[in-house]
Amino acid sequence: MLKIGIVAEYNPFHNGHLYQITKIRKIFGKDVFIAVVVSGDFVQRGEISFLDKWEKTQINLEYGVNLIIELPLYYSIQNAEIFSKMATRILDYLGMDIQVFGAEEENIEVLQKVLDLQKRQDYKDKLMEYMKKGNSYSTSQRLTLKEYGLDRIVKSNNILALEYMREIEKSNLGIKPFIVKREISEYNEEKVEKEREEFASASFLRSELEKILEEFCGDKNLKSKKLILEKLEKIQKFVPKKSFEIILENLEFKIKNGINWQKLKKEIFKIVKYKILTEKKEKIMKIYDINCEIYARIYRGAAISKNYREFLENTKSRNLSNKRVERIILNILLNIKAEMMDFEINYVRILGFDKKGQKYLKKIRENNNFEDIEGKNDFEKKNIFVNWKDIEKFGSFSENNGNMGNLENIKNFKIQENFLKKIKIEKNGFLLKELFLEKREKLNPIVYLNNQN
């Protein structure tokens, strides 16, 4: 059975995502196994996801994905390099044969040419020259590639594709890369041409949904439901039926409970400003992706800013984008420290599966008896769990075992220590979700046994 892996945020799931899944079955056959590693409640842009992990899982199962896995929170909110690296490693860890990704460039040989070029000293020298002139890394990269006639490559999905391919090559992974060309829409487009029939970017869809939230937020009895549905007609043609149903439910919940992005950012700013201005510098400096220069900028920004927008405006610079600042904000809120970012896969959390996924998990679990932790098997004691409580139990079991040398899946005490810290980070995420979105975390996966894929 050929096993295909996808990495996605599905924020929200749209026709382009469905197109990719359909295309995979067309290319590789209807009986192919599809697994998706998905960002959960917080995404790589440094934001709370519009759809939560369980809404994404429901949609995936409806449209033929066999197994849905969560990209751990502490990796899902980092830069493209880390996001791509860890998601690809998880697909490889799960035994996938091929990783399929969307890209603006459909010729994988062109992307490989860029990867090979970036290893050369002349490329590195030119890149450094542009950065010394005060350009950001992404701008410097574009200008450098332009000298080689390849500046068209610097687009959102191509950048992710390059990172996926870089990780596969660098870590000598068994998984193989494959491109399904991204059709029509750009990842971060904010407008859609009138003639566009069925494809729009997630950025455009989020922008439209945020406008609806702003306009109707606080309508506890949903007296405006008819108007809301009229507004939603603008995006309905761009999302599959199940996705539209869940988006509508999500909107209704947020409108009733007075949740919108401005309110969320206002609350986030209050907490972050308090932490930055009251914690000792040494403590904030331990947070991942913060150095002295960044600390100085965010401290000053917090001190002089009255709201979230002002804070972003007062902290950004040529080398510090708003998105990076927003990722750092989440690192501070969640207490993600630099020392724990060891890029190890300590556990894999399953969010949902269908019959085929269940069969595959059974094969893994038969070789992963929790109590027989020292046993060897075909999966090399992979820590794959379908219940959050089992992840916590495993962490406690490992912590109390006493003899770290007997645990084959834990290389040393430091990795074990970080494992426990990572569990705590995930639980911090559960709490933030409850505080900001008024939703408690589910602990068990979604099981979907009615489809025939």
Side-chain angles (χ1 to χ4, degrees):
M1 177 178 65
L2 191 62
K3 301 181 292 297
I4 306 294
I6 301 171
V7 176
E9 289 195 318
Y10 295 143
N11 187 35
F13 188 99
H14 54 65
N15 288 342
H17 299 130
L18 180 58
Y19 170 84
Q20 185 184 57
I21 292 169
T22 304
K23 193 77 172 176
I24 286 171
R25 295 198 184 278
K26 187 174 181 180
I27 294 169
F28 297 104
K30 289 189 294 184
D31 295 330
V32 74
F33 181 91
I34 299 178
V36 171
V37 172
V38 66
S39 300
D41 301 321
F42 301 84
V43 293
Q44 202 255 332
R45 294 165 58 85
E47 297 176 349
I48 297 172
S49 181
F50 180 81
L51 293 183
D52 72 23
K53 66 184 74 169
W54 304 110
E55 291 167 328
K56 296 174 187 180
T57 301
Q58 279 183 273
I59 298 168
N60 270 257
L61 291 170
E62 180 72 20
Y63 291 109
V65 173
N66 307 114
L67 188 65
I68 299 92
I69 308 99
E70 182 177 14
L71 179 61
L73 170 56
Y74 37 86
Y75 296 138
S76 73
I77 62 171
Q78 307 307 338
N79 61 36
E81 180 184 355
I82 294 171
F83 174 93
S84 304
K85 173 195 293 194
M86 298 315 299
T88 296
R89 283 189 187 180
I90 289 172
L91 287 176
D92 186 72
Y93 187 86
L94 285 163
M96 297 299 107
D97 302 305
I98 296 170
Q99 179 180 353
V100 171
F101 42 81
E104 293 86 0
E105 173 56 59
E106 63 182 329
N107 188 344
I108 203 165
E109 291 179 2
V110 173
L111 295 182
Q112 186 60 52
K113 182 180 178 181
V114 174
L115 283 182
D116 293 339
L117 176 64
Q118 289 176 336
K119 297 174 193 171
R120 286 166 38 179
Q121 191 59 47
D122 59 315
Y123 176 90
K124 294 175 183 177
D125 291 343
K126 290 178 188 293
L127 181 68
M128 188 57 67
E129 284 177 22
Y130 282 116
M131 291 182 72
K132 284 180 179 178
K133 291 177 181 177
N135 296 296
S136 68
Y137 177 79
S138 60
T139 300
S140 299
Q141 184 173 236
R142 182 180 288 104
L143 292 170
T144 306
L145 285 170
K146 187 175 183 179
E147 294 195 28
Y148 296 91
L150 291 166
D151 54 312
R152 73 182 190 279
I153 295 301
V154 187
K155 294 183 178 180
S156 300
N157 289 281
N158 285 342
I159 291 169
L160 281 173
L162 285 167
E163 294 301 338
Y164 296 138
M165 292 171 65
R166 197 188 317 278
E167 179 56 28
I168 289 170
E169 183 180 287
K170 184 179 177 182
S171 297
N172 195 27
L173 303 181
I175 195 167
K176 306 298 180 187
F178 188 92
I179 294 174
V180 169
K181 189 175 187 302
R182 187 174 178 87
E183 290 297 321
I184 307 173
S185 65
E186 295 283 349
Y187 170 77
N188 58 352
E189 69 178 356
E190 294 183 355
K191 294 181 180 180
V192 174
E193 297 85 357
K194 290 181 180 179
E195 61 270 19
R196 180 77 60 79
E197 291 185 3
E198 56 181 324
F199 295 106
S201 72
S203 294
F204 169 78
L205 297 174
R206 283 195 303 273
S207 176
E208 294 303 309
L209 292 169
E210 286 167 21
K211 289 174 188 175
I212 294 172
L213 282 176
E214 284 297 310
E215 186 171 348
F216 299 103
C217 196
D219 182 1
K220 294 184 180 296
N221 299 314
L222 285 179
K223 294 176 183 176
S224 310
K225 186 166 184 178
K226 185 178 178 182
L227 286 172
I228 293 167
L229 286 169
E230 287 175 3
K231 297 276 185 181
L232 279 172
E233 285 180 6
K234 187 172 181 179
I235 71 163
Q236 188 168 5
K237 67 178 180 178
F238 299 124
V239 296
K241 182 182 176 183
K242 185 65 175 178
S243 185
F244 183 78
E245 290 172 0
I246 288 178
I247 285 171
L248 179 58
E249 290 174 10
N250 182 297
L251 274 176
E252 289 179 356
F253 176 84
K254 285 174 179 166
I255 289 168
K256 279 184 178 180
N257 290 279
I259 299 168
N260 63 36
W261 300 118
Q262 293 308 313
K263 178 182 175 182
L264 287 178
K265 289 178 179 179
K266 183 178 179 181
E267 295 302 313
I268 287 171
F269 177 67
K270 284 180 182 177
I271 299 172
V272 169
K273 180 171 182 172
Y274 176 81
K275 287 199 74 169
I276 292 172
L277 297 181
T278 59
E279 295 280 13
K280 290 183 178 179
K281 178 180 177 180
E282 308 87 75
K283 191 168 182 179
I284 299 292
M285 286 289 292
K286 290 179 181 179
I287 298 296
Y288 181 70
D289 201 26
I290 291 183
N291 56 33
C292 287
E293 182 184 347
I294 290 174
Y295 174 80
R297 292 197 74 87
I298 64 173
Y299 186 90
R300 176 181 176 277
I304 66 174
S305 303
K306 296 178 182 178
N307 55 54
Y308 193 91
R309 185 176 294 176
E310 281 187 16
F311 175 70
L312 292 180
E313 192 62 35
N314 288 326
T315 52
K316 75 175 182 180
S317 67
R318 283 181 176 180
N319 296 313
L320 187 61
S321 67
N322 279 347
K323 287 305 161 194
R324 186 176 178 189
V325 172
E326 290 188 273
R327 288 194 287 268
I328 289 170
I329 286 172
L330 284 183
N331 285 338
I332 293 171
L333 277 177
L334 294 161
N335 199 31
I336 299 176
K337 296 179 180 177
E339 64 180 19
M340 57 157 283
M341 293 294 282
D342 55 12
F343 309 118
E344 293 286 336
I345 300 174
N346 299 106
Y347 57 87
V348 170
R349 184 186 184 189
I350 305 299
L351 297 178
F353 54 86
D354 68 357
K355 284 183 180 179
K356 193 180 284 188
Q358 183 184 47
K359 186 177 180 181
Y360 190 66
L361 285 172
K362 186 178 180 183
K363 181 181 178 184
I364 297 173
R365 294 190 77 186
E366 282 174 353
N367 293 296
N368 279 271
N369 186 336
F370 175 77
E371 301 301 335
D372 184 23
I373 200 169
E374 294 188 56
K376 288 190 176 182
N377 56 74
D378 294 338
F379 286 89
E380 298 177 351
K381 289 312 305 173
K382 296 190 185 302
N383 303 324
I384 300 168
F385 300 97
V386 298
N387 185 297
W388 174 258
K389 287 294 184 183
D390 286 341
I391 295 174
E392 289 188 312
K393 184 180 177 184
F394 182 75
S396 299
F397 179 83
S398 301
E399 181 184 29
N400 297 326
N401 183 270
N403 187 353
M404 292 296 128
N406 288 336
L407 302 180
E408 291 185 343
N409 63 312
I410 298 172
K411 295 176 183 177
N412 52 48
F413 179 75
K414 187 64 178 175
I415 292 175
Q416 167 60 16
E417 187 178 46
N418 283 342
F419 181 8
L420 298 170
K421 289 177 182 177
K422 289 173 182 176
I423 292 175
K424 181 68 169 71
I425 298 303
E426 296 276 23
K427 292 175 78 172
N428 289 348
F430 299 168
L431 180 58
L432 285 186
K433 179 180 179 178
E434 188 172 346
L435 287 174
F436 294 141
L437 299 179
E438 300 182 25
K439 290 183 177 180
R440 300 204 68 177
E441 178 67 358
K442 273 171 51 70
L443 302 180
N444 300 311
I446 296 175
V447 182
Y448 188 87
L449 302 180
N450 295 324
N451 67 342
Q452 299 300 315
N453 291 307

